[in-house]
Amino acid sequence: MTHQVTAGTDAVVRKTAPSPAGPPRRGGGRGAGRQGSRWTPWLYLAPALVVLAGLLVYPIYQLGLISFLEYTQAQVSGGAPTTFKGFGNYRELFADSQFWQVLLATVVFAAACVVSTLAVGCALAVLLTRIRALPRLALMLAALGAWATPAITGSTVWVFLFDPDHGPVNRLLGLGDFSWTYERYSAFALVLFEVVWCSFPFVMVTVYAGIKAIPSEVLEAASLDGASQWRIWRSIIAPMLRPILIVVTIQSIIWDFKVFTQIYVMTSGGGIAGQNLVLNVYAYQKAFASSQYSLGSAIGIVMLLILLAVTLVYLRLMRRQGEEL
């Protein structure tokens, strides 16, 4: 009897005793795997984030810091101490009527450039899908050549083409010695042409790639139903390309809002009496022509905030419509 009880007790002990491998380790299991996989993308992005922090975050920090200081040529040369002004530079900037005129001109000019660039780029993207291989290749090469041309080179060429004395455009149009850069609106129009010329290839190539990704059966079905080309674009292609159009629109807004080279080169620094100033050129004049580096930095911060606000509002509106970016 005693032997049976002892044997039963030994069996129970063997069942409840821990395995030779010991107690389970902490932090293991499925939860640890999920946590590790959560940090894996950030590890891959870490080198790029470090580079971006050095190239973007630190310069923006320095720009914001200078905008809160009294920083002119006297401080740069060490002739006067650097003092903290707080929002004094911004108050001075917002009290300047010229700043608001330049801001309005920049917004209108950028909007015209964005709309024109999107219209030309989308129209040519559709044209690429309708023409044969050889003309399509020629158009692509010509567009990419315009895209690859440096802004200062393209601006100089356009100034020569529309020169009142030696330019071929005035001769072809019979305009005589008409100066495109003398009047405010004609100068802005000339710069707009050059900006669209060097910007539409990005829109054209991107939208063309998006159109080629649309199933051909969808477009063929619309054609068989009697839909016109404009109706196909408006009702089928544009909705399916909406994420791509969002990207190119935001990119165009950023590029065209901060145009500098074309305005500076083609209007000789902002036009007669500053009639063709935009914010980037205005900031350059304040910072380097007038040695008011703090005011120039404040203009830069205002431009950054405007672009961030426009981008965030645009993305929010698209999110409300259920678009996946």
Side-chain angles (χ1 to χ4, degrees), residues 129-256:
T129 63
R130 306 296 180 192
I131 58 179
R132 296 182 180 273
L134 189 58
R136 180 167 60 247
L137 178 61
L139 179 57
M140 291 281 285
L141 291 177
L144 293 177
W147 193 15
T149 303
I152 189 169
T153 304
S155 301
T156 304
V157 170
W158 275 75
V159 169
F160 168 75
L161 292 175
F162 288 84
D163 185 79
D165 298 322
H166 308 288
V169 175
N170 280 12
R171 296 179 183 178
L172 291 175
L173 298 179
L175 297 178
D177 58 350
F178 174 75
S179 176
W180 288 80
T181 58
Y182 183 77
E183 296 290 338
R184 182 187 188 192
Y185 296 107
S186 61
F188 269 129
L190 181 60
V191 177
L192 183 144
F193 295 153
E194 202 280 335
V195 171
V196 173
W197 175 76
C198 67
S199 301
F200 83 86
F202 169 74
V203 178
M204 183 190 74
V205 173
T206 307
V207 174
Y208 173 71
I211 293 175
K212 296 300 290 184
I214 297 176
S216 59
E217 295 82 4
V218 177
L219 303 179
E220 292 176 0
S223 299
L224 293 176
D225 288 339
S228 63
Q229 295 299 324
W230 167 247
R231 183 62 184 272
I232 293 175
W233 166 262
R234 184 172 61 88
S235 302
I236 299 176
I237 297 178
M240 297 184 73
L241 293 180
R242 188 166 295 172
I244 294 178
L245 293 176
I246 291 172
V247 172
V248 297
T249 300
I250 294 176
Q251 199 79 354
S252 299
I253 290 173
I254 294 174
W255 285 344
D256 296 339

Side-chain angles (χ1 to χ4, degrees), residues 65-90:
L65 178 62
I66 294 175
S67 69
F68 288 104
L69 303 176
E70 177 67 30
Y71 200 71
T72 62
Q73 188 60 41
Q75 283 75 27
V76 173
S77 60
T82 302
T83 57
F84 181 75
K85 289 186 64 175
F87 289 96
N89 291 316
Y90 293 94

Side-chain angles (χ1 to χ4, degrees), residues 237-319:
I237 297 178
M240 297 184 73
L241 293 180
R242 188 166 295 172
I244 294 178
L245 293 176
I246 291 172
V247 172
V248 297
T249 300
I250 294 176
Q251 199 79 354
S252 299
I253 290 173
I254 294 174
W255 285 344
D256 296 339
F257 191 81
K258 60 185 185 68
V259 164
F260 173 82
T261 305
Q262 290 88 342
I263 289 286
Y264 192 82
V265 172
M266 300 178 72
T267 65
S268 300
I272 300 173
Q275 64 181 2
N276 296 113
L277 282 176
V278 292
L279 280 179
N280 241 350
V281 180
Y282 185 59
Y284 176 84
Q285 288 188 353
K286 287 294 184 182
F288 298 101
S290 303
S291 298
Q292 296 176 307
Y293 303 106
S294 53
L295 278 180
S297 300
I299 298 172
I301 293 297
V302 170
M303 291 181 61
L304 175 64
L305 295 177
I306 291 175
L307 289 175
L308 284 177
V310 170
T311 303
L312 291 177
V313 168
Y314 200 71
L315 291 176
R316 186 177 180 85
L317 290 176
M318 293 301 103
R319 290 287 187 179

